[in-house]
Amino acid sequence: MNRCKYCKQFEKELLPQLINYCRKKDLRFYIVVRELNPELIPNKIKLFPSLVKYDKKDKMTIFKGERTLNNLRKFLN
């Protein structure tokens, strides 16, 4: 969300590292801005920023741990 201080902090501190990790592992990722594409936000998402992973059968998993680079890497594997 554009005015969310937690989103801005995540965007500044972890997102660049996470994007690099995804590119190295050839993982597809999408950044969805709630104000621009609200229809793309699953109903289960109540907190922002939220990290969502989809498996090959489109099963959604929401990250619920502490937002550290190591935890995010584990989540994506």
Side-chain angles (χ1 to χ4, degrees):
M1 291 179 35
N2 286 327
R3 296 180 307 206
C4 171
K5 73 176 184 177
Y6 302 108
C7 293
K8 292 296 181 190
Q9 181 181 6
F10 179 79
E11 185 178 334
K12 181 180 176 185
E13 295 174 8
L14 283 175
L15 187 59
Q17 296 173 68
L18 195 58
I19 289 171
N20 286 336
Y21 177 78
C22 289
R23 287 181 176 152
K24 287 178 186 176
K25 295 290 186 177
D26 199 28
L27 299 172
R28 285 187 288 163
F29 63 91
Y30 302 92
I31 299 169
V32 179
V33 178
R34 180 180 180 202
E35 293 87 355
L36 299 177
N37 299 102
E39 72 280 1
L40 297 178
I41 306 294
N43 290 334
K44 292 182 180 182
I45 302 292
K46 304 295 180 203
L47 301 172
F48 297 92
S50 288
L51 301 154
V52 178
K53 174 175 73 172
Y54 291 92
D55 67 13
K56 292 181 181 181
K57 296 181 182 180
D58 284 337
K59 180 184 173 206
M60 180 177 80
T61 306
I62 300 172
F63 179 78
K64 295 184 179 177
E66 181 183 358
R67 290 185 185 126
T68 65
L69 187 57
N70 284 335
N71 287 346
L72 295 172
R73 286 178 177 170
K74 290 176 189 174
F75 173 70
L76 293 173
N77 290 322

